[in-house]
Structure formats: structure tokens, C-alpha cells
Amino acid sequence: MRILLHVCCAPDATVAFERLKEVGDVWGYFHNPNIHPRKEYLKRLDSFLKLVKKWHLNFVEAEYKPQDWFKTIKGFENEPEGGRRCEICIRYNLEKTAIKAKELGFDAFATSLTTSPHKDVKFINEVGKEIARKYGLKYIESTFRKKNGFLKSVEYSKKLGLYRQNYCGCIFSIRQPQVEKVTPKNGKENKN
Ligand code: SF4
């Protein structure tokens, strides 16, 4: 099975690649118009390219089009993190991944977003399945943060020298630095 994995960032992609390669031939898809400013986008892309080189991964890079993303979330700029803006943003990235997967003849798609302790995994998987039905693809349901997935991603990042950002991505999240619910120190895991 050929799987196109939406890569939200290099650290989250480590565990996703590791687990999905047991299921099929995985290619990364760096589609992140929600990351601002451009300098930050390039920093996260560089970090992913570093991982690609070290692990000999296959990948596709989307054109960076933040203007399209801003149009999509218009009217929801002031939503709190985790609110409606995030739902639209996640749906947007997943749908673009499905469209690319279809175009390139992949059988399935997935997302590395579920490595993050900040994301609503239930929502992501529901949307993924809905989009899969629409495009006649398989969506690989995941909760990569489980089984110490998030902690492993932190360890891989340190070992491989991958950049780990301290905000989600869009300009609206810059003012809301992330508070990790899972830390390497206490090893507690968010069960969502
Ligand atoms: S906070 Fe993150 S998930 Fe939410 S809209 Fe911004 S980039 Fe997207």
C-alpha cells in the first residue's frame, strides 16, 4: 500500500514514518500554508529535509501558498487555539493531502498531526475518514502520540538535531505559545 503522509513538522514526522513504514510505502507531503512567517516555514521545511536526508525518505513538497490559507480561515482569525479556525486549518491540510494522493496514485493518506499532544485526535481522524470517503482513498487512522510516541519524537529530534518550534504555526498562534501536556520529565501521556 502506498501512503502519502501529511508532514506537519519534522519532529512529529519521525514517529509517524517509523510506524507507517510497517504498513506500507510511505512518502511525506510537506503541505503547510498555515505556517508563518515565511522564514519560519523555511526553517521547518529545512528541518524536514534534514530528516529526509538522514532517513532516506521519499517526499513531495507543496508550493507555499499562505494567501490561500488566509482566505480559507477568513472570519475565524480571532478564534482561540483548538477552536473553529484550527478545525478549518486541519481539514484544509488533510483535504489537500488527499487531493495530492489521488493525483499521484497513492492508495491512502495519513497525518503526522496526531503525534502532537496539543491536537484533537478524535476530530482529526473523523475528518480524515470523511475526506477519504469523498476521494475514494483509505485514511490511516492514528494516534501517534500514544505508546510514548510524543516522547520518542522529542528524543529523535534531539538525536538528529531537528528544530522543534514553540508555537503551532499560524500568526495567530504566535501569541499563544504551546504548553506541553506531555513532557520527557514526567512521562505523562495525554490519552486523547
Ligand atoms: S493554531 Fe495551528 S492548527 Fe490552529 S489555525 Fe493556527 S496553524 Fe492551524
Side-chain angles (χ1 to χ4, degrees):
M1 176 165 56
R2 296 184 71 220
I3 305 163
L4 191 63
L5 169 68
H6 164 245
V7 168
C8 57
C9 65
D12 284 1
T14 55
V15 176
F17 265 104
E18 187 178 64
R19 294 187 183 171
L20 286 176
K21 74 179 183 201
E22 305 298 324
V23 188
D25 175 22
V26 195
W27 286 54
Y29 185 45
F30 198 87
H31 181 279
N32 294 295
N34 53 305
I35 299 173
H36 322 128
R38 178 179 288 270
K39 202 172 146 196
E40 175 72 14
Y41 171 83
L42 293 174
K43 205 169 168 182
R44 296 190 197 186
L45 174 61
D46 274 358
S47 187
F48 175 56
L49 295 179
K50 196 173 184 179
L51 178 67
V52 162
K53 204 170 166 191
K54 286 188 187 256
W55 283 8
H56 308 290
L57 304 172
N58 289 313
F59 77 103
V60 179
E61 181 193 335
E63 195 184 336
Y64 180 54
K65 291 182 177 172
Q67 65 282 8
D68 290 354
W69 182 88
F70 279 108
K71 265 187 227 158
T72 307
I73 61 92
K74 198 165 170 41
F76 297 96
E77 292 87 345
N78 295 320
E79 284 279 302
E81 196 165 330
R84 190 77 186 105
R85 187 188 69 241
C86 298
E87 290 180 0
I88 296 166
C89 172
I90 288 165
R91 181 180 287 277
Y92 186 70
N93 276 335
L94 285 180
E95 184 146 18
K96 291 288 182 185
T97 304
I99 291 168
K100 184 54 76 177
K102 196 80 185 167
E103 182 191 320
L104 299 178
F106 281 78
D107 308 294
F109 68 101
T111 178
S112 63
L113 281 168
T114 67
T115 306
S116 167
H118 311 289
K119 295 288 178 287
D120 182 345
V121 167
K122 191 168 175 277
F123 172 79
I124 293 169
N125 285 329
E126 285 307 315
V127 171
K129 285 187 280 185
E130 184 194 316
I131 292 172
R133 282 193 293 276
K134 182 173 169 187
Y135 291 93
L137 289 162
K138 186 172 165 51
Y139 170 72
I140 311 285
E141 212 170 320
S142 67
T143 309
F144 293 125
R145 68 182 176 221
K146 275 195 174 170
K147 296 186 188 156
N148 283 328
F150 175 67
L151 300 184
K152 281 184 190 162
S153 77
V154 172
E155 283 163 14
Y156 274 134
S157 304
K158 280 186 190 153
K159 197 170 137 196
L160 302 170
L162 304 175
Y163 166 62
R164 290 189 67 237
Q165 63 274 1
N166 65 0
Y167 67 99
C168 187
C170 64
I171 49 165
F172 313 110
S173 62
I174 294 176
R175 62 191 180 211
Q176 298 169 325
Q178 294 179 340
V179 179
E180 289 176 356
K181 291 172 194 155
V182 179
T183 71
K185 277 183 193 157
N186 63 24
K188 280 181 195 160
E189 191 167 342
N190 185 320
K191 298 291 180 194
N192 288 335

